[in-house]
Amino acid sequence: ESIGELLGIFARVDDGYLDNFRYAFPVLQELELTATFFISTAYVNTGITFPKNRVKALVRHDSDGMKEQVVEDLGIEHNLISSEEEYVEQIGNALMQDRDPQELSFQLDKWENVLGTGVKEYSAFQVMDWTNLDSLQQAGMTIGAHTVNHRRLEGLTRKEVLDEILGSRDELQSNLGLP
């Protein structure tokens, strides 16, 4: 494989995506390299995908339909000046405010049903489970905390930031047995 293809595989050794385990991990082992995988723990073992990925896929699937749903459910209107990335970020931030991953998933499932798509099934959105993480650790990879809910820390209270960071660390320690 070319260096560009290999770098593409490693572009997301972050968050806990299952493709990290399926594709990056075997290449790391073949090359006798180690890596640190940063994990957002609220998504491990849930089958729930990261909200902003699903929002972006929904916007791309049916931009007009999604705009209607977002106005109806969140009261957010698309500003024609903002980019798709900024719009998705705005929706994602609004969704993640005061909602746990299950509530987020429920809202996104609703939008997928209304828009007639199943973007959550995209293999690129799947996340690892504790068995995958244990296998990585047993092979010499480092597992690092990357918040509980994958929230943007900017704008959170000190307590919320500490809950995200320390909660992720504590859950990893509890489930994997190592600091």
Side-chain angles (χ1 to χ4, degrees):
E1 293 183 47
S2 73
I3 294 296
E5 289 169 330
L6 285 175
L7 291 176
I9 290 171
F10 294 106
R12 293 186 312 145
V13 182
D14 186 26
D15 300 335
Y17 291 102
L18 184 57
D19 64 2
N20 295 178
F21 182 78
R22 287 182 179 157
Y23 305 113
F25 177 49
V27 173
L28 288 165
Q29 287 186 302
E30 182 179 324
L31 298 174
E32 298 180 9
L33 298 172
T34 59
T36 300
F37 292 77
F38 292 97
I39 308 301
S40 294
T41 54
Y43 296 89
V44 177
N45 268 28
T46 65
I48 296 172
T49 59
F50 295 110
K52 289 180 187 174
N53 290 346
R54 286 178 69 187
V55 169
K56 186 181 291 184
L58 286 166
V59 167
R60 290 182 178 171
H61 171 76
D62 183 350
S63 180
D64 292 335
M66 187 60 176
K67 287 175 188 173
E68 289 175 23
Q69 291 301 305
V70 170
V71 168
E72 183 178 312
D73 293 339
L74 301 176
I76 297 173
E77 298 215 22
H78 183 263
N79 177 349
L80 296 177
I81 298 171
S82 67
S83 68
E84 176 187 275
E85 198 66 35
E86 291 168 325
Y87 181 56
V88 167
E89 182 79 15
Q90 186 179 19
I91 296 167
N93 288 341
L95 279 174
M96 294 178 80
Q97 191 171 20
D98 301 326
R99 286 186 177 92
D100 66 28
Q102 287 75 20
E103 292 171 306
L104 289 167
S105 188
F106 179 79
Q107 177 65 58
L108 291 163
D109 287 348
K110 176 190 171 226
W111 288 344
E112 286 185 16
N113 289 332
V114 169
L115 299 177
T117 184
V119 299
K120 75 175 178 183
E121 303 303 324
Y122 291 175
S123 64
F125 294 172
Q126 295 173 357
V127 296
M128 286 188 257
D129 61 27
W130 292 112
T131 303
N132 301 137
L133 294 171
D134 186 57
S135 295
L136 290 172
Q137 186 173 272
Q138 294 303 318
M141 305 297 155
T142 302
I143 308 299
H146 185 38
T147 73
V148 173
N149 295 297
H150 201 257
R151 293 177 69 190
R152 182 177 292 272
L153 299 179
E154 179 184 351
L156 298 181
T157 66
R158 177 178 172 77
K159 181 186 180 329
E160 290 171 323
V161 169
L162 290 173
D163 288 348
E164 285 290 322
I165 295 169
L166 298 176
S168 180
R169 179 201 64 188
D170 294 347
E171 190 166 356
L172 288 169
Q173 287 176 335
S174 174
N175 283 282
L176 299 175
L178 292 175

